[in-house]
Every structure is written in structure tokens, then in C-alpha cells.
Amino acid sequence: MLAKLTRSAALRARRQYVRTMFRFMGHALEAISRSDQKVIDDARPLPEGFVFQMMVLPSGPSLVLEHTGQGELRYLGDDYDGKVDLSIRFKHMAHAFLVLSFQEKTTEAFANDRMVVDGDIGYGVRMTRILNRLESIILPRLIASRAVKEYPADLGLLEKVPGAIGIYRRVLTGLIRDLRKEALPI
């Protein structure tokens, strides 16, 4: 009985962690697309109105972003139900947890058949590069090296620290805005 309760609590904690990380990543991707030239350049070729989703199957937490043009991404939240152009779906909550807790690189998860990409694979590679750039900037190098395939050799401390501070500031602003929306009566 105790083991079953412990396992159930662990599953709920993983689900909440993944949901929180997706929300954080959504705001962080929106923020970095407004400040980092490499991300802007990577996102610019995406079609305007392009919608990217990352989620856990079958109906787990998700994050949805839209390319609004000129390399800028907008976080649409987790309850978007419109057309999606590119979806990266984790096959199980445990797989998403491994990647989002930096125990496994995204490329390793894909190689280990833990996720499915639905859409143009070229756009999938582009979005993975954007995610890797984000992780490289906002995470300490030791952790980022575990999260990305290759840590950028040209990312110095003088670029990383101000970039991370700006992203964290924008993420905090976005999270506060979300909490205010959730607190408003419907």
C-alpha cells in the first residue's frame, strides 16, 4: 500500500515538474527569440504563423509556440487546440522527465526512440538548435553540457551571463502575467 502511494506521488510530481518546465521553456523561448541574434536567425526562415508543439503522449503537458515573423516566437500556452505544423511528442512522461531534468540529451532521447516528430524534419532540427541555444545560455555550463549535443565553443561568460539574466527576467514577467490571468475570475 505504501509503495503504491509513493509511486503515485512520484508520478504526480514528475507530471507537475514536466508541466512547470514546459511553461518555463515556453516563456524562455519567447524571451530568447527577442534578444539572441543566433536564435532570431535560426527562427527567421520559419513561415509566419508556424506553430510548434512539444508534448507528452497521450494527453500530457505541452508547450506551444507560434512564429510571428522576423524570427520572433510567441508562447501560446499549453491549452492550444489549433493546427500544429511541427510536434515533438514524448512517448511517456518518464521520457520527458529524463530530458527535462537534463539526465538525457534530446538527441539521445530521439535516438532511443523516446519521442516522435510529426512535421517537417528540417523544422524539427531548427527548433532543436533553438532549444539547445536556450539551454546553453540559461543553464550553468556543467548542466548545459549534459543537456545539449555540443556546448557552443564561442559562448563566453560575457555573452552568457547578460543573456541569461535578460531571459530569466522576461520569464519571470511572463509567469507573473500567467498567474494574474489564472487568478482572474471567469
Side-chain angles (χ1 to χ4, degrees):
M1 175 77 168
L2 183 61
K4 187 176 180 181
L5 287 173
T6 304
R7 195 173 87 225
S8 176
L11 291 173
R12 282 193 310 275
R14 274 189 189 158
R15 183 178 191 81
Q16 187 58 44
Y17 176 83
V18 170
R19 177 177 283 113
T20 301
M21 285 299 292
F22 276 160
R23 181 179 272 189
F24 178 89
M25 286 171 51
H27 285 292
L29 286 163
E30 182 177 308
I32 197 169
S33 77
R34 294 180 178 161
S35 60
D36 187 84
Q37 194 57 50
K38 289 185 180 182
V39 168
I40 293 167
D41 291 343
D42 260 342
R44 188 172 281 127
L46 297 171
E48 191 169 335
F50 173 86
V51 177
F52 167 73
Q53 174 187 54
M54 185 177 271
M55 70 170 294
V56 180
L57 291 171
S59 58
S62 69
L63 77 84
V64 182
L65 295 160
E66 177 185 22
H67 179 240
T68 59
Q70 299 304 310
E72 192 171 305
L73 301 171
R74 181 170 53 112
Y75 176 53
L76 300 177
D78 60 354
D79 56 357
Y80 176 82
D81 62 354
K83 180 182 170 288
V84 173
D85 298 297
L86 173 68
S87 182
I88 296 177
R89 300 176 184 152
F90 290 98
K91 292 182 176 180
H92 192 274
M93 187 65 67
H95 303 328
F97 182 78
L98 283 172
V99 171
L100 297 175
S101 62
F102 316 113
Q103 297 177 55
E104 184 173 63
K105 293 173 173 51
T106 306
T107 53
E108 289 174 4
F110 187 75
N112 290 329
D113 200 29
R114 299 187 197 279
M115 53 183 27
V116 177
V117 177
D118 185 19
D120 186 313
I121 196 73
Y123 291 151
V125 170
R126 188 169 294 280
M127 289 305 299
T128 301
R129 275 198 314 260
I130 291 169
L131 286 163
N132 287 343
R133 178 74 178 173
L134 172 68
E135 291 172 337
S136 296
I137 289 175
I138 66 171
L139 296 172
R141 184 180 181 130
L142 180 66
I143 297 171
S145 296
R146 292 178 55 153
V148 301
K149 184 176 179 183
E150 186 177 332
Y151 189 85
D154 64 342
L155 182 59
L157 204 56
L158 293 176
E159 180 182 8
K160 182 178 176 93
V161 172
I165 290 170
I167 292 166
Y168 279 114
R169 182 178 50 79
R170 286 187 177 111
V171 166
L172 184 58
T173 302
L175 291 172
I176 290 169
R177 187 176 57 240
D178 287 353
L179 289 173
R180 285 184 179 156
K181 281 184 202 174
E182 290 170 7
L184 292 175
I186 296 176

